[in-house]
């Protein structure tokens, strides 16, 4: 059974103008998040993803639809009971939201105090977490003495304090530089692997999804327009908006303008070969072309690795007799998808 | 100048009276101002315990009393002072009136300072399962403590100013001293002696407040 399941969930806000139509932030979204997933939700700002994540721990009440977390329906739960549920769901934020008046240690201890843990339990747990995030030497520092990456590591330690099964990450790396982003993402990966914590990560950066997500949902205008395994969505996005996100990290098929440039620089026929899986077929493709006595060079594209599976698009300029090229491409077509671009 | 030396005993008594009035008002008005400010903050729409009727009533009451000039307010609350503390004149009657007036002013300062706490931090505490009262006590107040100390320092300085009218209802203090022995007896030196001591009080209070706030905010 899914750890989190959303059925036809809608969240709307009353219009700021009197009598205006309500603003729909999340529009009939249904999603299943399995235990152990790193579930990415990607979309442009205003797509409704931050609102969606706040519905999962009921920081915002749902307008209609049902949300179940760990088999319990939270959408009909009174606030007092929801507080208990929130202890089992960690959350980290874009702006870290650390308590500036408290030390790193006190920040991490806070959720444990809310949960009613004893002083001794708190002390041991906080030490464990400080070690896990590599900040044992910063225990007595205040948040304003830390770098962005360190702050987010404190945020992660604090979110994990009560050993939640689910961690919600709201644009957790968007305020960080690329290097620190990777550092934090690797830490989240460890949280997922070592503690089996299910992670829901909201982002507008495809790199984040590419680095750690196993599943992805693409949001646009409050709706989930595509969802599935990260590999599937990356290798063959079904929706133009998803394709646009994918193209930010995957150099794929050349655009018409790029084709024109390639045409100018290279003679022969320009062909894009798309590899869907494994990449093992690459050598076979090159062998086919070589055996046909054709001269070819790689002019555009790349191979990507998602969750240890490779896919990509390679554009080649092939020179040789037309008939020979046709025959060779027919052979290649059996191994990978071939598109003649110029 | 000689006159000032003659009046030295009265001068120090007046100084002590000013300190007494300011300190007691800061304590009483500060306490009720803090409570009212917290009520304003927590009941405002979208806040921890948002409650429109309570917010509206408190808001209207505060706005009703705040614009009343203090010298008139003292006269207006005199009957209540007689009823509650048994006298309508003197230093204690002034403390009574000033405690009420300053509660309303302080409540606004408290409200404004609590509003500076980032909503994200409060959301983080909510996401950890903390309830509204706990969030107020363990997050909002500690996070706003530095600005609150600066706010109260500002109030302290304003209270020194307002106690100067105590003479109007037969009270003492440096204000009454300056008017009685300086202004009315054509002795500018006496007036200036009171002025200088008040400036010293204010400087010390501001210095201490700044120091304390800096210590709390660690900058």
């Amino acid at each position: 059974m899914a750890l989190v399941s959303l059925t036809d969930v809608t969240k709307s806000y009353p219009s700021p103008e009197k009598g205006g139509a309500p603003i729909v932030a999340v529009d009939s979204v249904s999603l299943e998040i399995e235990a152990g997933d790193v579930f990415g939700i990607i979309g442009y700002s205003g797509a409704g993803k931050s609102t969606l994540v706040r519905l999962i721990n009921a920081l915002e009440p749902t307008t209609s639809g049902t949300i179940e977390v760990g088999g319990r329906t939270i959408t009909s739960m009174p606030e007092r009971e929801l507080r208990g549920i929130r202890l089992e769901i960690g959350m980290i934020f874009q702006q870290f939201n650390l308590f500036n008046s408290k030390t790193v240690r006190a920040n991490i201890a806070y959720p444990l105090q809310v949960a009613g843990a004893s002083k001794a339990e708190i002390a041991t747990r906080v030490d464990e977490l400080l070690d896990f995030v590599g900040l044992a030497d910063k225990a007595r520092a205040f948040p304003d003495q830390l770098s962005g990456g360190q702050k987010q590591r404190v945020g992660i330690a604090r979110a994990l304090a009560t050993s939640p099964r689910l961690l919600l990450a709201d644009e957790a790396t968007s305020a960080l530089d690329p290097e620190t982003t990777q550092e934090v993402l690797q830490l989240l990966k460890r949280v997922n692997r070592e503690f089996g914590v299910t992670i829901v990560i909201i982002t507008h950066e495809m790199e984040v999804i590419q680095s750690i997500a196993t599943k992805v949902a693409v949001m646009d205008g409050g709706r989930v327009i595509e969802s599935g395994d990260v590999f599937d969505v990356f290798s063959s996005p079904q929706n133009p908006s998803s394709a646009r996100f994918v193209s930010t990290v995957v150099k794929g098929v050349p655009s018409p303008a790029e084709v024109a440039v390639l045409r100018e620089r290279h003679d022969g026929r320009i062909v894009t070969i798309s590899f869907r899986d494994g990449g093992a077929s690459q050598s076979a493709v090159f062998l086919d072309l070589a055996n046909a006595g054709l001269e070819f060079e790689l002019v555009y594209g790349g191979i990507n690795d998602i969750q240890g599976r490779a896919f990509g698009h390679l554009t080649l300029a092939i020179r040789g007799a037309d008939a020979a090229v046709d025959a060779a491409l027919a052979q290649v077509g059996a191994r990978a998808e071939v598109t003649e671009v110029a | 100048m000689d006159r000032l030396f003659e009046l030295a005993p009265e001068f120090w008594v007046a100084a002590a009276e000013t300190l007494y009035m300011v300190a007691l008002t800061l304590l009483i008005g500060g306490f009720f101002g803090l409570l009212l400010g917290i009520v304003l903050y927590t009941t405002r729409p979208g806040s921890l315990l948002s409650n429109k009727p309570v917010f509206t009533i408190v808001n209207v009451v505060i706005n009703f009393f705040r614009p009343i000039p203090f010298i008139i307010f003292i006269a207006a609350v005199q009957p209540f002072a007689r009823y509650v503390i048994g006298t309508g004149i003197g230093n204690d009657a002034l403390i009574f009136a000033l405690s009420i007036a300053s509660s309303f002013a302080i409540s606004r300062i408290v409200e404004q300072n609590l509003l500076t706490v980032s909503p994200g931090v409060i959301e983080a505490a909510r996401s950890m399962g903390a309830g509204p009262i706990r969030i107020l006590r363990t997050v909002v107040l500690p996070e706003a403590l530095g600005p609150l100390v600066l706010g109260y320092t500002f109030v302290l300085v304003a209270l020194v100013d307002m106690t100067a009218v105590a003479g109007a209802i037969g009270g003492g203090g440096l204000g009454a001293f300056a008017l009685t022995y300086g202004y009315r007896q054509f002795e500018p030196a006496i007036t200036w002696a009171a002025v200088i001591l008040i400036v010293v009080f204010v400087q010390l209070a501001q210095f201490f407040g700044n120091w304390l706030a800096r210590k709390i905010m660690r900058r």
Side-chain angles (χ1 to χ4, degrees):
Chain A
M1 205 193 66
L3 178 61
V4 180
S5 87
L6 286 77
T7 315
D8 214 16
V9 168
T10 294
K11 171 70 183 177
S12 56
Y13 297 97
S15 164
E17 293 133 49
K18 257 209 163 103
I23 295 161
V24 181
V26 173
D27 190 359
S28 19
V29 166
S30 297
L31 278 181
E32 300 270 296
I33 298 166
E34 303 292 334
D37 275 351
V38 177
F39 197 104
I41 300 177
I42 190 161
Y44 296 109
S45 45
K49 50 199 193 315
S50 278
T51 308
L52 183 69
V53 82
R54 278 165 178 72
L55 299 178
I56 297 176
N57 60 358
L59 284 180
E60 302 256 9
T62 304
T63 308
S64 69
T66 53
I67 300 175
E68 281 179 40
V69 178
R72 283 178 293 181
T73 308
I74 61 157
T75 26
S76 55
M77 223 175 243
E79 174 70 19
R80 196 168 283 277
E81 236 173 288
L82 285 173
R83 284 181 216 154
I85 296 280
R86 290 192 194 118
L87 282 171
E88 298 161 27
I89 306 175
M91 188 168 188
I92 55 175
F93 305 85
Q94 178 171 8
Q95 296 304 331
F96 323 120
N97 293 348
L98 301 182
F99 306 126
N100 288 316
S101 58
K102 301 187 203 305
T103 60
V104 166
R105 170 171 282 280
N107 264 278
I108 302 173
Y110 189 83
L112 293 162
Q113 288 161 347
V114 174
S118 74
K119 274 213 163 89
E121 281 171 332
I122 293 176
T124 4
R125 182 73 183 137
V126 172
D127 285 335
E128 271 171 33
L129 289 159
L130 281 168
D131 277 337
F132 178 74
V133 299
L135 287 174
D137 56 327
K138 298 283 183 195
R140 301 163 79 100
F142 283 90
D144 55 12
Q145 298 164 319
L146 304 179
S147 70
Q150 290 172 330
K151 283 182 192 169
Q152 197 56 292
R153 273 144 69 193
V154 175
I156 292 171
R158 187 176 67 171
L160 294 178
T162 52
S163 310
R165 282 196 292 165
L166 177 64
L167 176 66
L168 307 175
D170 181 23
E171 296 276 8
T173 59
S174 300
L176 303 174
D177 60 60
E179 201 177 317
T180 319
T181 294
Q182 278 309 318
E183 200 182 288
V184 167
L185 291 177
Q186 291 317 311
L187 182 61
L188 288 176
K189 216 176 212 171
R190 279 179 58 209
V191 168
N192 176 251
R193 290 211 182 124
E194 291 175 28
F195 304 138
V197 175
T198 306
I199 299 179
V200 176
I201 186 161
I202 302 292
T203 184
H204 64 276
E205 296 166 320
M206 210 58 180
E207 291 90 344
V208 171
I209 305 285
Q210 186 181 17
S211 319
I212 67 162
T214 52
K215 304 267 180 59
V216 63
V218 183
M219 279 191 85
D220 195 14
R223 288 175 164 275
V224 169
I225 52 170
E226 184 164 354
S227 72
D229 278 342
V230 168
F231 184 83
D232 294 333
V233 174
F234 269 67
S235 56
S236 49
Q238 300 300 309
N239 184 289
S241 188
S242 328
R244 219 163 33 242
F245 271 118
V246 170
S247 70
T248 61
V249 287
V250 174
K251 200 171 186 196
V253 184
S255 67
E258 285 165 327
V259 169
V261 173
L262 293 175
R263 180 73 285 166
E264 245 170 64
R265 290 205 197 135
H266 305 277
D267 23 295
R269 288 163 63 177
I270 296 176
V271 168
T272 298
I273 303 171
S274 303
F275 299 94
R276 177 84 171 82
D277 204 352
S281 50
Q282 255 186 79
S283 53
V285 166
F286 292 138
L287 204 60
D288 286 344
L289 295 173
N291 285 344
L294 299 171
E295 203 182 302
F296 62 92
E297 61 185 316
L298 177 57
V299 295
Y300 192 91
I303 296 293
N304 304 275
D305 186 291
I306 303 274
Q307 315 291 311
R309 292 163 75 190
F311 74 92
H313 310 273
L314 298 179
T315 299
L316 306 177
I318 306 172
R319 281 185 296 274
D322 261 351
V325 175
D326 283 337
L329 286 182
Q331 215 176 345
V332 168
R335 307 186 192 276
E337 197 188 317
V338 177
T339 327
E340 186 127 15
V341 292
Chain B
M1 252 330 184
D2 292 345
R3 182 83 179 118
L4 183 58
F5 287 111
E6 275 171 47
L7 286 171
E10 284 85 349
F11 181 68
W12 294 119
V13 168
E17 282 174 332
T18 291
L19 289 182
Y20 166 74
M21 287 186 282
V22 168
L24 214 55
T25 311
L26 187 68
L27 212 65
I28 302 169
F31 175 74
F32 288 105
L34 183 65
L35 281 189
L36 272 179
I38 288 173
V39 170
L40 275 176
Y41 171 79
T42 49
T43 59
R44 72 166 33 234
S47 186
L48 292 169
L49 294 166
S50 68
N51 185 324
K52 196 111 191 252
V54 174
F55 178 74
T56 310
I57 291 168
V58 176
N59 204 26
V60 167
V61 169
I62 290 171
N63 285 346
F64 177 83
F65 284 106
R66 285 233 18 230
I68 304 174
F70 183 54
I71 191 93
I72 302 172
F73 186 78
I74 296 174
V77 297
Q78 203 178 36
F80 301 104
R82 267 195 212 105
Y83 182 74
V84 178
I85 60 166
T87 176
I89 56 166
N91 292 340
D92 290 340
L94 182 106
I95 292 171
F96 179 81
L98 190 50
S99 294
I100 297 173
S102 64
S103 298
F104 296 126
I106 292 169
S107 68
R108 285 291 180 212
I109 289 168
V110 169
E111 180 195 24
Q112 279 162 20
N113 285 316
L114 296 186
L115 282 171
T116 62
V117 175
S118 133
V121 171
I122 294 166
E123 186 179 50
R126 285 186 65 210
S127 81
M128 294 169 215
I133 302 296
R134 180 193 289 271
I135 292 175
L136 181 71
R137 193 167 48 81
T138 60
V139 177
V140 176
L141 289 174
E143 293 287 309
L145 195 58
L148 274 177
V149 166
L150 289 178
Y152 271 89
T153 306
F154 172 82
V155 168
L156 182 61
V157 172
L159 289 180
V160 173
D161 173 1
M162 289 161 95
T163 53
V165 302
I169 52 166
L174 286 167
F177 178 86
L179 290 177
T180 312
Y181 299 107
Y183 179 68
R184 291 199 189 115
Q185 300 186 3
F186 305 101
E187 293 272 9
I190 303 281
T191 310
W192 275 97
V195 167
I196 288 165
L197 190 60
I198 287 172
V199 170
V200 169
F201 279 168
V202 166
Q203 291 294 335
L204 285 176
Q206 191 67 51
F207 180 81
F208 176 72
N210 289 349
W211 171 81
L212 192 62
R214 233 189 349 260
K215 207 169 153 70
I216 289 167
M217 295 189 281
R218 301 180 313 283
R219 352 194 142 95

